[in-house]
C-alpha cells in the first residue's frame, strides 16, 4: 500500500474548458480528483461535457458566460461558491482570435480580443485571489502562446493579449507568493487541433520541420503540465512561463 497521502479534492475553474485544449485540461483535473467548473459561451457544449463527466463519476458544472464582459467574474465565482465553495485553482484558458494585418485591423478587433484573452484573466484572478489568500493556498495558471514569444504576422491583437498574460503572471506571482499562491503561464506551440488538422499536408510538414521533436503536441500534453502546476508537487514553481512546443523556441 502506498504511503503517500492523497491530495485534497480541489475546486477548479477552467475557462474555455469544454472544447479543444480546455476540454483536455478539464478531463485531466477531474481525473486527478478535482471538482471543475467549466466556463464558456456554448451552452450545449458545456452541458454535454458536464453530463459526460458526471456520468463517469466525476464532478463538473457548467457556467455560461461571455468573458468579454468585465463584470462576469463575480457571476462565475459566486456560482462556484454557492455550489462547492471558493475556487482554489484557476485556469485562464479561454482565447479568441480575430486575425488581420495591422493596417486592416479595426480598433474594436484589438480591444475585443484583449478583453476576452487578457482582461478576463485579470478580473477572474482578482475575484479568486481573496479566498485563496485566506486559505493560504492557490494556483493560477494562464494559458499564453508560443507566438507571444516569437511573434507572427497578422496577429497583433492576439499576440499582445498572450504576451500580456505573461506579464500579468509575473506581477501576480510576485504579489501573491507570500500567501502560498503560485502563478504560472504555459505557452503552447503547435498543438493538434481541428485547425492544424485542416492544414494541407505540405504546410503541416513545413511547420514540423521547425520543431526538433518532429511532431505537433497534443492537448493532453498541455493538460498534463496544467495538472502538475495545479498540484502540491509544483509548490516551489511560480512566475514562470513554461513552453510546451517540442523545442521550437529555445532562446
Amino acid at each position: 500500500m502506498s504511503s503517500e497521502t492523497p491530495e485534497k479534492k480541489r475546486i477548479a475553474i477552467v475557462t474555455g474548458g469544454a472544447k479543444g485544449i480546455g476540454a483536455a485540461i478539464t478531463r485531466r483535473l477531474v481525473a486527478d480528483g478535482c471538482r471543475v467548473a467549466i466556463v464558456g459561451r456554448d451552452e450545449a457544449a458545456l452541458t454535454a461535457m458536464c453530463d459526460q463527466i458526471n456520468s463517469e463519476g466525476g464532478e463538473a458544472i457548467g457556467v455560461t458566460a461571455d468573458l468579454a464582459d468585465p463584470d462576469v467574474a463575480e457571476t462565475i465565482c459566486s456560482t462556484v461558491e454557492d455550489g462547492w465553495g471558493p475556487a482554489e485553482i484557476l485556469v485562464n484558458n479561454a482565447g479568441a482570435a480575430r486575425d488581420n494585418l495591422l493596417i486592416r485591423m479595426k480598433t474594436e478587433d484589438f480591444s475585443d480580443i484583449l478583453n476576452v484573452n487578457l482582461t478576463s484573466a485579470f478580473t477572474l484572478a482578482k475575484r479568486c485571489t481573496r479566498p485563496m489568500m485566506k486559505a493560504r493556498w492557490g494556483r493560477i495558471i494562464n494559458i499564453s502562446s508560443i507566438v507571444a514569444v516569437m511573434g507572427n504576422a497578422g496577429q497583433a491583437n492576439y499576440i499582445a493579449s498572450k504576451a500580456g498574460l505573461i506579464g500579468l503572471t509575473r506581477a501576480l506571482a510576485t504579489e501573491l507568493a507570500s500567501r502560498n499562491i503560485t502563478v504560472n503561464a504555459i505557452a503552447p506551440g503547435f498543438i493538434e487541433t481541428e485547425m492544424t488538422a485542416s492544414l494541407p499536408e505540405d504546410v503541416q510538414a513545413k511547420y514540423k520541420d521547425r520543431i526538433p521533436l518532429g511532431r505537433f503536441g497534443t492537448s493532453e500534453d498541455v493538460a498534463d503540465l496544467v495538472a502538475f502546476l495545479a498540484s502540491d508537487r509544483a509548490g516551489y514553481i511560480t512566475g514562470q512561463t513554461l513552453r510546451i512546443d517540442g523545442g521550437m523556441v529555445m532562446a
Side-chain angles (χ1 to χ4, degrees):
M1 181 179 293
S2 173
S3 61
E4 295 182 0
T5 302
E7 292 184 1
K8 176 181 176 290
K9 195 163 192 174
R10 301 290 185 183
I11 299 168
I13 294 174
V14 180
T15 65
K19 297 180 180 179
I21 292 173
I25 292 170
T26 295
R27 292 190 186 97
R28 178 56 200 270
L29 291 177
V30 168
D32 283 358
C34 293
R35 298 170 170 175
V36 180
I38 312 167
V39 180
R41 295 180 63 181
D42 189 335
E43 187 171 354
L46 290 174
T47 300
M49 187 77 172
C50 291
D51 286 348
Q52 180 183 13
I53 289 170
N54 292 324
S55 69
E56 295 171 352
E59 294 184 75
I61 58 172
V63 184
T64 306
D66 181 1
L67 290 170
D69 179 357
D71 297 323
V72 80
E74 177 61 38
T75 301
I76 293 168
C77 293
S78 294
T79 300
V80 176
E81 289 167 359
D82 289 345
W84 292 330
E88 299 152 295
I89 299 165
L90 170 63
V91 183
N92 287 308
N93 167 75
R98 202 178 297 170
D99 298 349
N100 215 332
L101 294 174
L102 175 65
I103 59 173
R104 297 174 183 167
M105 186 176 290
K106 298 177 182 178
T107 302
E108 56 265 32
D109 292 336
F110 191 87
S111 59
D112 288 351
I113 295 304
L114 258 69
N115 283 338
V116 174
N117 296 0
L118 179 58
T119 305
S120 70
F122 161 75
T123 57
L124 277 167
K126 181 177 180 180
R127 177 59 176 78
C128 288
T129 292
R130 189 173 296 278
M132 288 182 182
M133 292 175 69
K134 185 177 181 180
R136 301 191 69 85
W137 197 98
R139 299 287 186 265
I140 299 173
I141 302 164
N142 298 317
I143 307 300
S144 180
S145 172
I146 199 65
V147 296
V149 180
M150 59 185 286
N152 197 34
Q155 290 189 304
N157 50 2
Y158 182 80
I159 291 173
S161 69
K162 293 298 187 177
L165 280 177
I166 293 174
L168 180 66
T169 295
R170 292 171 177 168
L172 297 186
T174 304
E175 290 187 27
L176 301 174
S178 65
R179 297 303 184 97
N180 195 35
I181 301 169
T182 66
V183 188
N184 291 288
I186 295 174
F190 285 97
I191 304 298
E192 290 178 352
T193 61
E194 291 181 5
M195 184 183 70
T196 55
S198 68
L199 294 172
E201 289 187 8
D202 60 326
V203 175
Q204 292 190 40
K206 179 181 178 181
Y207 285 134
K208 288 177 183 176
D209 283 343
R210 301 171 59 186
I211 302 171
L213 284 179
R215 65 172 179 88
F216 293 155
T218 67
S219 296
E220 289 71 26
D221 289 329
V222 181
D224 285 344
L225 182 53
V226 170
F228 172 68
L229 291 175
S231 73
D232 287 324
R233 300 187 304 276
Y236 199 57
I237 301 172
T238 196
Q240 304 304 305
T241 300
L242 302 170
R243 302 169 188 166
I244 183 160
D245 63 356
M248 186 171 66
V249 177
M250 296 191 187

mmCIF file of all heavy atoms in Angstrom, residues 162-210:
data_model
loop_
_atom_site.group_PDB
_atom_site.id
_atom_site.type_symbol
_atom_site.label_atom_id
_atom_site.label_comp_id
_atom_site.label_asym_id
_atom_site.label_seq_id
_atom_site.Cartn_x
_atom_site.Cartn_y
_atom_site.Cartn_z
ATOM 1 N N LYS A 162 -1.706 37.641 -25.421
ATOM 2 C CA LYS A 162 -0.999 36.488 -24.871
ATOM 3 C C LYS A 162 0.319 36.905 -24.219
ATOM 4 O O LYS A 162 0.747 36.296 -23.225
ATOM 5 C CB LYS A 162 -0.762 35.451 -25.967
ATOM 6 C CG LYS A 162 -2.047 34.794 -26.479
ATOM 7 C CD LYS A 162 -2.770 34.034 -25.371
ATOM 8 C CE LYS A 162 -3.958 33.243 -25.882
ATOM 9 N NZ LYS A 162 -4.615 32.456 -24.832
ATOM 10 N N ALA A 163 0.977 37.930 -24.773
ATOM 11 C CA ALA A 163 2.177 38.462 -24.126
ATOM 12 C C ALA A 163 1.807 39.165 -22.828
ATOM 13 O O ALA A 163 2.534 39.090 -21.826
ATOM 14 C CB ALA A 163 2.894 39.429 -25.065
ATOM 15 N N GLY A 164 0.644 39.825 -22.826
ATOM 16 C CA GLY A 164 0.154 40.454 -21.608
ATOM 17 C C GLY A 164 -0.072 39.457 -20.496
ATOM 18 O O GLY A 164 0.161 39.755 -19.324
ATOM 19 N N LEU A 165 -0.523 38.250 -20.847
ATOM 20 C CA LEU A 165 -0.710 37.203 -19.842
ATOM 21 C C LEU A 165 0.604 36.841 -19.159
ATOM 22 O O LEU A 165 0.628 36.542 -17.963
ATOM 23 C CB LEU A 165 -1.312 35.952 -20.485
ATOM 24 C CG LEU A 165 -2.817 35.943 -20.732
ATOM 25 C CD1 LEU A 165 -3.210 34.659 -21.449
ATOM 26 C CD2 LEU A 165 -3.594 36.081 -19.433
ATOM 27 N N ILE A 166 1.689 36.859 -19.923
ATOM 28 C CA ILE A 166 2.993 36.547 -19.341
ATOM 29 C C ILE A 166 3.389 37.630 -18.327
ATOM 30 O O ILE A 166 3.858 37.333 -17.221
ATOM 31 C CB ILE A 166 4.054 36.402 -20.447
ATOM 32 C CG1 ILE A 166 3.749 35.157 -21.296
ATOM 33 C CG2 ILE A 166 5.459 36.325 -19.847
ATOM 34 C CD1 ILE A 166 4.647 34.990 -22.506
ATOM 35 N N GLY A 167 3.175 38.895 -18.689
ATOM 36 C CA GLY A 167 3.462 39.973 -17.758
ATOM 37 C C GLY A 167 2.572 39.923 -16.538
ATOM 38 O O GLY A 167 3.025 40.132 -15.399
ATOM 39 N N LEU A 168 1.289 39.644 -16.741
ATOM 40 C CA LEU A 168 0.349 39.517 -15.627
ATOM 41 C C LEU A 168 0.775 38.394 -14.689
ATOM 42 O O LEU A 168 0.714 38.527 -13.461
ATOM 43 C CB LEU A 168 -1.053 39.255 -16.168
ATOM 44 C CG LEU A 168 -2.171 39.089 -15.144
ATOM 45 C CD1 LEU A 168 -2.421 40.392 -14.394
ATOM 46 C CD2 LEU A 168 -3.455 38.605 -15.817
ATOM 47 N N THR A 169 1.223 37.296 -15.272
ATOM 48 C CA THR A 169 1.685 36.153 -14.483
ATOM 49 C C THR A 169 2.821 36.551 -13.543
ATOM 50 O O THR A 169 2.811 36.217 -12.347
ATOM 51 C CB THR A 169 2.152 35.024 -15.415
ATOM 52 O OG1 THR A 169 1.021 34.546 -16.170
ATOM 53 C CG2 THR A 169 2.779 33.880 -14.650
ATOM 54 N N ARG A 170 3.786 37.274 -14.063
ATOM 55 C CA ARG A 170 4.939 37.665 -13.251
ATOM 56 C C ARG A 170 4.552 38.636 -12.149
ATOM 57 O O ARG A 170 5.034 38.530 -11.006
ATOM 58 C CB ARG A 170 6.008 38.269 -14.155
ATOM 59 C CG ARG A 170 6.635 37.253 -15.104
ATOM 60 C CD ARG A 170 7.528 37.914 -16.135
ATOM 61 N NE ARG A 170 8.163 36.914 -16.994
ATOM 62 C CZ ARG A 170 8.811 37.193 -18.120
ATOM 63 N NH1 ARG A 170 8.900 38.454 -18.526
ATOM 64 N NH2 ARG A 170 9.355 36.235 -18.844
ATOM 65 N N ALA A 171 3.676 39.573 -12.478
ATOM 66 C CA ALA A 171 3.249 40.542 -11.466
ATOM 67 C C ALA A 171 2.485 39.861 -10.334
ATOM 68 O O ALA A 171 2.760 40.097 -9.149
ATOM 69 C CB ALA A 171 2.382 41.621 -12.120
ATOM 70 N N LEU A 172 1.531 38.999 -10.692
ATOM 71 C CA LEU A 172 0.725 38.335 -9.674
ATOM 72 C C LEU A 172 1.562 37.356 -8.855
ATOM 73 O O LEU A 172 1.344 37.201 -7.650
ATOM 74 C CB LEU A 172 -0.455 37.615 -10.310
ATOM 75 C CG LEU A 172 -1.474 38.489 -11.047
ATOM 76 C CD1 LEU A 172 -2.662 37.640 -11.497
ATOM 77 C CD2 LEU A 172 -1.931 39.656 -10.192
ATOM 78 N N ALA A 173 2.496 36.678 -9.517
ATOM 79 C CA ALA A 173 3.358 35.742 -8.792
ATOM 80 C C ALA A 173 4.136 36.471 -7.699
ATOM 81 O O ALA A 173 4.296 35.969 -6.580
ATOM 82 C CB ALA A 173 4.313 35.048 -9.755
ATOM 83 N N THR A 174 4.608 37.658 -8.019
ATOM 84 C CA THR A 174 5.367 38.449 -7.052
ATOM 85 C C THR A 174 4.472 38.896 -5.894
ATOM 86 O O THR A 174 4.862 38.838 -4.716
ATOM 87 C CB THR A 174 5.969 39.686 -7.731
ATOM 88 O OG1 THR A 174 6.772 39.272 -8.838
ATOM 89 C CG2 THR A 174 6.840 40.476 -6.760
ATOM 90 N N GLU A 175 3.253 39.326 -6.195
ATOM 91 C CA GLU A 175 2.341 39.815 -5.177
ATOM 92 C C GLU A 175 1.822 38.718 -4.247
ATOM 93 O O GLU A 175 1.612 38.946 -3.056
ATOM 94 C CB GLU A 175 1.132 40.496 -5.836
ATOM 95 C CG GLU A 175 1.440 41.816 -6.502
ATOM 96 C CD GLU A 175 0.179 42.508 -6.987
ATOM 97 O OE1 GLU A 175 -0.901 42.259 -6.398
ATOM 98 O OE2 GLU A 175 0.264 43.292 -7.949
ATOM 99 N N LEU A 176 1.599 37.532 -4.782
ATOM 100 C CA LEU A 176 0.858 36.507 -4.057
ATOM 101 C C LEU A 176 1.720 35.409 -3.439
ATOM 102 O O LEU A 176 1.205 34.552 -2.725
ATOM 103 C CB LEU A 176 -0.177 35.869 -4.997
ATOM 104 C CG LEU A 176 -1.199 36.837 -5.595
ATOM 105 C CD1 LEU A 176 -2.077 36.125 -6.615
ATOM 106 C CD2 LEU A 176 -2.053 37.472 -4.507
ATOM 107 N N ALA A 177 3.002 35.428 -3.709
ATOM 108 C CA ALA A 177 3.871 34.340 -3.242
ATOM 109 C C ALA A 177 3.848 34.190 -1.720
ATOM 110 O O ALA A 177 3.875 33.063 -1.207
ATOM 111 C CB ALA A 177 5.295 34.560 -3.729
ATOM 112 N N SER A 178 3.755 35.285 -0.999
ATOM 113 C CA SER A 178 3.802 35.206 0.464
ATOM 114 C C SER A 178 2.585 34.497 1.042
ATOM 115 O O SER A 178 2.594 34.076 2.197
ATOM 116 C CB SER A 178 3.917 36.607 1.073
ATOM 117 O OG SER A 178 2.754 37.366 0.796
ATOM 118 N N ARG A 179 1.527 34.345 0.258
ATOM 119 C CA ARG A 179 0.321 33.646 0.704
ATOM 120 C C ARG A 179 0.226 32.234 0.136
ATOM 121 O O ARG A 179 -0.839 31.630 0.131
ATOM 122 C CB ARG A 179 -0.923 34.454 0.307
ATOM 123 C CG ARG A 179 -1.011 35.822 0.963
ATOM 124 C CD ARG A 179 -0.984 35.735 2.485
ATOM 125 N NE ARG A 179 -1.156 37.041 3.111
ATOM 126 C CZ ARG A 179 -2.297 37.510 3.569
ATOM 127 N NH1 ARG A 179 -3.395 36.790 3.468
ATOM 128 N NH2 ARG A 179 -2.359 38.697 4.127
ATOM 129 N N ASN A 180 1.352 31.731 -0.366
ATOM 130 C CA ASN A 180 1.413 30.357 -0.886
ATOM 131 C C ASN A 180 0.497 30.166 -2.098
ATOM 132 O O ASN A 180 -0.078 29.104 -2.299
ATOM 133 C CB ASN A 180 1.060 29.336 0.203
ATOM 134 C CG ASN A 180 1.466 27.922 -0.179
ATOM 135 O OD1 ASN A 180 2.483 27.702 -0.840
ATOM 136 N ND2 ASN A 180 0.671 26.943 0.218
ATOM 137 N N ILE A 181 0.388 31.213 -2.901
ATOM 138 C CA ILE A 181 -0.356 31.143 -4.164
ATOM 139 C C ILE A 181 0.655 31.238 -5.299
ATOM 140 O O ILE A 181 1.410 32.216 -5.381
ATOM 141 C CB ILE A 181 -1.375 32.290 -4.279
ATOM 142 C CG1 ILE A 181 -2.370 32.234 -3.121
ATOM 143 C CG2 ILE A 181 -2.116 32.221 -5.621
ATOM 144 C CD1 ILE A 181 -3.237 33.490 -3.006
ATOM 145 N N THR A 182 0.702 30.231 -6.132
ATOM 146 C CA THR A 182 1.617 30.261 -7.264
ATOM 147 C C THR A 182 0.869 30.687 -8.522
ATOM 148 O O THR A 182 -0.314 30.383 -8.697
ATOM 149 C CB THR A 182 2.284 28.894 -7.511
ATOM 150 O OG1 THR A 182 1.291 27.940 -7.913
ATOM 151 C CG2 THR A 182 2.996 28.408 -6.260
ATOM 152 N N VAL A 183 1.586 31.395 -9.379
ATOM 153 C CA VAL A 183 1.006 31.883 -10.633
ATOM 154 C C VAL A 183 2.006 31.591 -11.749
ATOM 155 O O VAL A 183 3.155 32.050 -11.704
ATOM 156 C CB VAL A 183 0.714 33.395 -10.578
ATOM 157 C CG1 VAL A 183 -0.076 33.826 -11.818
ATOM 158 C CG2 VAL A 183 -0.035 33.771 -9.306
ATOM 159 N N ASN A 184 1.580 30.805 -12.718
ATOM 160 C CA ASN A 184 2.456 30.435 -13.828
ATOM 161 C C ASN A 184 1.709 30.528 -15.149
ATOM 162 O O ASN A 184 0.472 30.505 -15.190
ATOM 163 C CB ASN A 184 2.984 29.011 -13.636
ATOM 164 C CG ASN A 184 3.950 28.905 -12.477
ATOM 165 O OD1 ASN A 184 5.079 29.380 -12.547
ATOM 166 N ND2 ASN A 184 3.506 28.285 -11.380
ATOM 167 N N ALA A 185 2.480 30.625 -16.215
ATOM 168 C CA ALA A 185 1.917 30.654 -17.563
ATOM 169 C C ALA A 185 2.452 29.470 -18.361
ATOM 170 O O ALA A 185 3.566 28.991 -18.123
ATOM 171 C CB ALA A 185 2.265 31.967 -18.270
ATOM 172 N N ILE A 186 1.645 29.014 -19.293
ATOM 173 C CA ILE A 186 2.053 27.966 -20.225
ATOM 174 C C ILE A 186 1.944 28.541 -21.632
ATOM 175 O O ILE A 186 0.932 29.166 -21.979
ATOM 176 C CB ILE A 186 1.163 26.716 -20.087
ATOM 177 C CG1 ILE A 186 1.349 26.085 -18.708
ATOM 178 C CG2 ILE A 186 1.470 25.698 -21.186
ATOM 179 C CD1 ILE A 186 0.396 24.931 -18.428
ATOM 180 N N ALA A 187 2.967 28.330 -22.431
ATOM 181 C CA ALA A 187 2.974 28.825 -23.809
ATOM 182 C C ALA A 187 3.018 27.641 -24.768
ATOM 183 O O ALA A 187 4.098 27.159 -25.126
ATOM 184 C CB ALA A 187 4.167 29.747 -24.039
ATOM 185 N N PRO A 188 1.848 27.133 -25.180
ATOM 186 C CA PRO A 188 1.839 26.012 -26.134
ATOM 187 C C PRO A 188 2.333 26.445 -27.512
ATOM 188 O O PRO A 188 2.122 27.591 -27.934
ATOM 189 C CB PRO A 188 0.358 25.607 -26.189
ATOM 190 C CG PRO A 188 -0.280 26.246 -24.995
ATOM 191 C CD PRO A 188 0.500 27.492 -24.751
ATOM 192 N N GLY A 189 2.975 25.506 -28.193
ATOM 193 C CA GLY A 189 3.354 25.726 -29.585
ATOM 194 C C GLY A 189 2.271 25.197 -30.501
ATOM 195 O O GLY A 189 1.084 25.419 -30.268
ATOM 196 N N PHE A 190 2.675 24.477 -31.550
ATOM 197 C CA PHE A 190 1.702 23.888 -32.467
ATOM 198 C C PHE A 190 1.102 22.635 -31.820
ATOM 199 O O PHE A 190 1.800 21.671 -31.546
ATOM 200 C CB PHE A 190 2.362 23.544 -33.803
ATOM 201 C CG PHE A 190 2.629 24.751 -34.655
ATOM 202 C CD1 PHE A 190 3.874 25.353 -34.655
ATOM 203 C CD2 PHE A 190 1.625 25.294 -35.441
ATOM 204 C CE1 PHE A 190 4.127 26.476 -35.430
ATOM 205 C CE2 PHE A 190 1.858 26.412 -36.215
ATOM 206 C CZ PHE A 190 3.109 27.013 -36.219
ATOM 207 N N ILE A 191 -0.182 22.687 -31.570
ATOM 208 C CA ILE A 191 -0.900 21.601 -30.909
ATOM 209 C C ILE A 191 -1.905 21.006 -31.889
ATOM 210 O O ILE A 191 -2.528 21.740 -32.673
ATOM 211 C CB ILE A 191 -1.635 22.106 -29.645
ATOM 212 C CG1 ILE A 191 -0.640 22.789 -28.681
ATOM 213 C CG2 ILE A 191 -2.371 20.974 -28.953
ATOM 214 C CD1 ILE A 191 0.451 21.891 -28.140
ATOM 215 N N GLU A 192 -2.074 19.693 -31.846
ATOM 216 C CA GLU A 192 -3.046 19.035 -32.726
ATOM 217 C C GLU A 192 -4.456 19.484 -32.363
ATOM 218 O O GLU A 192 -4.973 19.169 -31.295
ATOM 219 C CB GLU A 192 -2.945 17.513 -32.586
ATOM 220 C CG GLU A 192 -1.668 16.937 -33.172
ATOM 221 C CD GLU A 192 -1.571 15.435 -32.966
ATOM 222 O OE1 GLU A 192 -2.424 14.874 -32.248
ATOM 223 O OE2 GLU A 192 -0.647 14.819 -33.513
ATOM 224 N N THR A 193 -5.066 20.234 -33.256
ATOM 225 C CA THR A 193 -6.431 20.716 -33.083
ATOM 226 C C THR A 193 -7.144 20.578 -34.420
ATOM 227 O O THR A 193 -6.550 20.161 -35.421
ATOM 228 C CB THR A 193 -6.456 22.194 -32.657
ATOM 229 O OG1 THR A 193 -5.826 22.986 -33.683
ATOM 230 C CG2 THR A 193 -5.716 22.403 -31.341
ATOM 231 N N GLU A 194 -8.417 20.944 -34.446
ATOM 232 C CA GLU A 194 -9.150 20.921 -35.715
ATOM 233 C C GLU A 194 -8.495 21.850 -36.721
ATOM 234 O O GLU A 194 -8.474 21.555 -37.920
ATOM 235 C CB GLU A 194 -10.606 21.340 -35.477
ATOM 236 C CG GLU A 194 -11.427 20.328 -34.694
ATOM 237 C CD GLU A 194 -12.864 20.769 -34.510
ATOM 238 O OE1 GLU A 194 -13.238 21.820 -35.087
ATOM 239 O OE2 GLU A 194 -13.619 20.065 -33.807
ATOM 240 N N MET A 195 -7.951 22.966 -36.248
ATOM 241 C CA MET A 195 -7.325 23.928 -37.147
ATOM 242 C C MET A 195 -6.066 23.358 -37.788
ATOM 243 O O MET A 195 -5.882 23.440 -39.008
ATOM 244 C CB MET A 195 -6.973 25.212 -36.407
ATOM 245 C CG MET A 195 -6.394 26.295 -37.312
ATOM 246 S SD MET A 195 -5.898 27.763 -36.401
ATOM 247 C CE MET A 195 -4.460 27.158 -35.509
ATOM 248 N N THR A 196 -5.186 22.766 -36.983
ATOM 249 C CA THR A 196 -3.953 22.219 -37.564
ATOM 250 C C THR A 196 -4.256 21.013 -38.433
ATOM 251 O O THR A 196 -3.575 20.780 -39.438
ATOM 252 C CB THR A 196 -2.953 21.831 -36.459
ATOM 253 O OG1 THR A 196 -3.573 20.939 -35.534
ATOM 254 C CG2 THR A 196 -2.462 23.061 -35.712
ATOM 255 N N ALA A 197 -5.290 20.247 -38.088
ATOM 256 C CA ALA A 197 -5.653 19.076 -38.899
ATOM 257 C C ALA A 197 -6.152 19.485 -40.273
ATOM 258 O O ALA A 197 -6.041 18.709 -41.239
ATOM 259 C CB ALA A 197 -6.704 18.252 -38.181
ATOM 260 N N SER A 198 -6.706 20.695 -40.374
ATOM 261 C CA SER A 198 -7.242 21.155 -41.655
ATOM 262 C C SER A 198 -6.182 21.726 -42.584
ATOM 263 O O SER A 198 -6.454 21.991 -43.757
ATOM 264 C CB SER A 198 -8.324 22.214 -41.405
ATOM 265 O OG SER A 198 -7.755 23.406 -40.875
ATOM 266 N N LEU A 199 -4.975 21.906 -42.076
ATOM 267 C CA LEU A 199 -3.897 22.435 -42.911
ATOM 268 C C LEU A 199 -3.456 21.401 -43.944
ATOM 269 O O LEU A 199 -3.435 20.213 -43.652
ATOM 270 C CB LEU A 199 -2.692 22.823 -42.039
ATOM 271 C CG LEU A 199 -2.873 23.982 -41.052
ATOM 272 C CD1 LEU A 199 -1.656 24.092 -40.142
ATOM 273 C CD2 LEU A 199 -3.115 25.290 -41.792
ATOM 274 N N PRO A 200 -3.112 21.831 -45.160
ATOM 275 C CA PRO A 200 -2.585 20.896 -46.165
ATOM 276 C C PRO A 200 -1.351 20.173 -45.635
ATOM 277 O O PRO A 200 -0.612 20.710 -44.803
ATOM 278 C CB PRO A 200 -2.235 21.809 -47.341
ATOM 279 C CG PRO A 200 -3.090 23.030 -47.160
ATOM 280 C CD PRO A 200 -3.215 23.215 -45.674
ATOM 281 N N GLU A 201 -1.129 18.965 -46.111
ATOM 282 C CA GLU A 201 -0.024 18.152 -45.610
ATOM 283 C C GLU A 201 1.321 18.839 -45.781
ATOM 284 O O GLU A 201 2.198 18.727 -44.925
ATOM 285 C CB GLU A 201 -0.025 16.787 -46.301
ATOM 286 C CG GLU A 201 -1.179 15.883 -45.871
ATOM 287 C CD GLU A 201 -1.042 14.483 -46.446
ATOM 288 O OE1 GLU A 201 0.014 14.191 -47.030
ATOM 289 O OE2 GLU A 201 -2.000 13.696 -46.307
ATOM 290 N N ASP A 202 1.515 19.548 -46.909
ATOM 291 C CA ASP A 202 2.797 20.204 -47.128
ATOM 292 C C ASP A 202 3.024 21.346 -46.147
ATOM 293 O O ASP A 202 4.154 21.599 -45.711
ATOM 294 C CB ASP A 202 2.915 20.708 -48.575
ATOM 295 C CG ASP A 202 1.834 21.727 -48.936
ATOM 296 O OD1 ASP A 202 0.709 21.606 -48.423
ATOM 297 O OD2 ASP A 202 2.125 22.634 -49.734
ATOM 298 N N VAL A 203 1.933 22.014 -45.750
ATOM 299 C CA VAL A 203 2.049 23.089 -44.767
ATOM 300 C C VAL A 203 2.358 22.501 -43.389
ATOM 301 O O VAL A 203 3.210 23.014 -42.653
ATOM 302 C CB VAL A 203 0.748 23.916 -44.718
ATOM 303 C CG1 VAL A 203 0.824 24.965 -43.602
ATOM 304 C CG2 VAL A 203 0.499 24.590 -46.055
ATOM 305 N N GLN A 204 1.684 21.397 -43.045
ATOM 306 C CA GLN A 204 1.979 20.730 -41.783
ATOM 307 C C GLN A 204 3.432 20.288 -41.732
ATOM 308 O O GLN A 204 4.108 20.448 -40.705
ATOM 309 C CB GLN A 204 1.055 19.517 -41.595
ATOM 310 C CG GLN A 204 -0.406 19.873 -41.386
ATOM 311 C CD GLN A 204 -1.224 18.669 -40.961
ATOM 312 O OE1 GLN A 204 -0.791 17.842 -40.160
ATOM 313 N NE2 GLN A 204 -2.431 18.533 -41.514
ATOM 314 N N ALA A 205 3.913 19.742 -42.829
ATOM 315 C CA ALA A 205 5.305 19.277 -42.891
ATOM 316 C C ALA A 205 6.278 20.438 -42.705
ATOM 317 O O ALA A 205 7.310 20.303 -42.033
ATOM 318 C CB ALA A 205 5.564 18.571 -44.210
ATOM 319 N N LYS A 206 5.931 21.592 -43.272
ATOM 320 C CA LYS A 206 6.785 22.773 -43.148
ATOM 321 C C LYS A 206 6.902 23.202 -41.686
ATOM 322 O O LYS A 206 7.986 23.514 -41.195
ATOM 323 C CB LYS A 206 6.207 23.911 -43.987
ATOM 324 C CG LYS A 206 7.009 25.206 -43.919
ATOM 325 C CD LYS A 206 6.360 26.289 -44.769
ATOM 326 C CE LYS A 206 7.120 27.603 -44.662
ATOM 327 N NZ LYS A 206 6.470 28.676 -45.471
ATOM 328 N N TYR A 207 5.778 23.216 -40.997
ATOM 329 C CA TYR A 207 5.798 23.595 -39.584
ATOM 330 C C TYR A 207 6.560 22.563 -38.748
ATOM 331 O O TYR A 207 7.330 22.909 -37.847
ATOM 332 C CB TYR A 207 4.380 23.748 -39.053
ATOM 333 C CG TYR A 207 3.681 25.009 -39.509
ATOM 334 C CD1 TYR A 207 2.375 24.968 -39.988
ATOM 335 C CD2 TYR A 207 4.314 26.249 -39.449
ATOM 336 C CE1 TYR A 207 1.730 26.132 -40.404
ATOM 337 C CE2 TYR A 207 3.680 27.405 -39.858
ATOM 338 C CZ TYR A 207 2.389 27.345 -40.343
ATOM 339 O OH TYR A 207 1.752 28.488 -40.744
ATOM 340 N N LYS A 208 6.339 21.288 -39.042
ATOM 341 C CA LYS A 208 7.000 20.240 -38.259
ATOM 342 C C LYS A 208 8.512 20.266 -38.445
ATOM 343 O O LYS A 208 9.255 19.865 -37.541
ATOM 344 C CB LYS A 208 6.435 18.867 -38.655
ATOM 345 C CG LYS A 208 5.021 18.632 -38.146
ATOM 346 C CD LYS A 208 4.449 17.300 -38.620
ATOM 347 C CE LYS A 208 3.017 17.120 -38.150
ATOM 348 N NZ LYS A 208 2.403 15.865 -38.674
ATOM 349 N N ASP A 209 8.974 20.752 -39.609
ATOM 350 C CA ASP A 209 10.410 20.872 -39.839
ATOM 351 C C ASP A 209 11.064 21.856 -38.873
ATOM 352 O O ASP A 209 12.276 21.787 -38.643
ATOM 353 C CB ASP A 209 10.675 21.315 -41.280
ATOM 354 C CG ASP A 209 10.504 20.180 -42.278
ATOM 355 O OD1 ASP A 209 10.495 19.008 -41.856
ATOM 356 O OD2 ASP A 209 10.372 20.469 -43.480
ATOM 357 N N ARG A 210 10.260 22.764 -38.317
ATOM 358 C CA ARG A 210 10.782 23.762 -37.380
ATOM 359 C C ARG A 210 10.785 23.252 -35.940
ATOM 360 O O ARG A 210 11.263 23.937 -35.041
ATOM 361 C CB ARG A 210 9.946 25.043 -37.467
ATOM 362 C CG ARG A 210 9.924 25.683 -38.846
ATOM 363 C CD ARG A 210 8.913 26.811 -38.918
ATOM 364 N NE ARG A 210 9.179 27.863 -37.949
ATOM 365 C CZ ARG A 210 8.363 28.905 -37.739
ATOM 366 N NH1 ARG A 210 7.237 29.001 -38.410
ATOM 367 N NH2 ARG A 210 8.682 29.824 -36.855
#
